[in-house]
Amino acid sequence: MSSAVHLEKLSAGYGAGDVIKDITLDIPEGTKVALAGPNGCGKTTLLRAMSGLIPSSGTAEVLGHPIMSLSRRKAAGFISLLTQYSENSFEFTVRQTVELGCYANGGREQDKITDEVLKQTNLSSLADTPVSMLSGGQKQRVFLARTLAQRTPVLLLDEPLNHLDVRFTKEISDVLLEWASGSTVTSDGTAHKNTLIGVYHDISMARMMSDMIVFLKDGRLVTKGNTGDIDYKSVLNDVYDMDVAAHMEQIASLWRE
């Protein structure tokens, strides 16, 4: 199976030393991957290095292409990133913001794609509303819609369910899982199985949204494996330096009372 993302001894940071160190990871096309670990362990930095947004050493390839050798326009046809803190620099409406995602593919079928994505993310009724007037959860859905409109086969998501209430968490997670089961044709006419790589702090959500889980700690890869094969109690204790299973059991007990 072809690799969607291939990393070999990848290190990256922001000028004051590397945040992630010697990450080696191969993600086959069509895989759903969850990145997990404590705050500050390098999850966001890893996504940014994968997408070529920050300088890195080692190897980072997307669909066989060294990401740092691609122009930003070319890279944006293969891989898209939903950041944790998205903003609109101008007073755009929801529709105008989502349309921005279409520019990476030259604006092809802009109206059709925008309408489809607005419907997918339950935003059609808000299409003409300025983004500045929306709640935090609504804005999160808008920026996710903009990312989906980019129509890339590799999708990177930094806490995509942040700010969403229970109902919209379920709706958006369903949208993402459906997307991940499909494929996307890139500008060269090649069809690639969709690959979803997301950062999740909720371990239960990470398990639900993935085939593979990658745990980071202190900028290094601690363990990786198929979602159903991880020894969670041992791994979580090591990664988070606490008895995570006991904490989660305490929370679950509230629903059994």
Side-chain angles (χ1 to χ4, degrees), residues 15-32:
D18 290 332
V19 176
I20 56 170
K21 309 170 187 74
D22 295 325
I23 303 290
T24 294
L25 180 64
D26 190 74
I27 300 173
E29 282 190 30
T31 306
K32 302 186 296 294

Side-chain angles (χ1 to χ4, degrees), residues 138-187:
Q138 290 171 326
K139 287 179 181 178
Q140 183 74 351
R141 282 189 285 139
V142 171
F143 296 128
L144 174 59
R146 182 180 65 187
T147 306
L148 290 171
Q150 197 171 324
R151 288 296 196 258
T152 63
V154 181
L155 187 58
L156 309 181
L157 305 173
D158 194 355
E159 297 190 48
L161 307 176
N162 197 21
H163 302 303
L164 300 182
D165 63 26
V166 174
R167 173 187 169 191
F168 284 123
T169 294
K170 173 68 166 61
E171 289 187 6
I172 293 303
S173 60
D174 286 347
V175 167
L176 291 173
L177 291 172
E178 181 179 1
W179 177 88
S181 69
S183 61
T184 298
V185 178
T186 50
S187 58

Side-chain angles (χ1 to χ4, degrees), residues 22 26 28 41 56 65 85 100 116 128 152 165 180 203:
D22 295 325
D26 190 74
C41 71
S56 61
H65 303 279
Y85 304 106
L100 291 173
E116 287 177 355
D128 297 321
T152 63
D165 63 26
I203 301 301

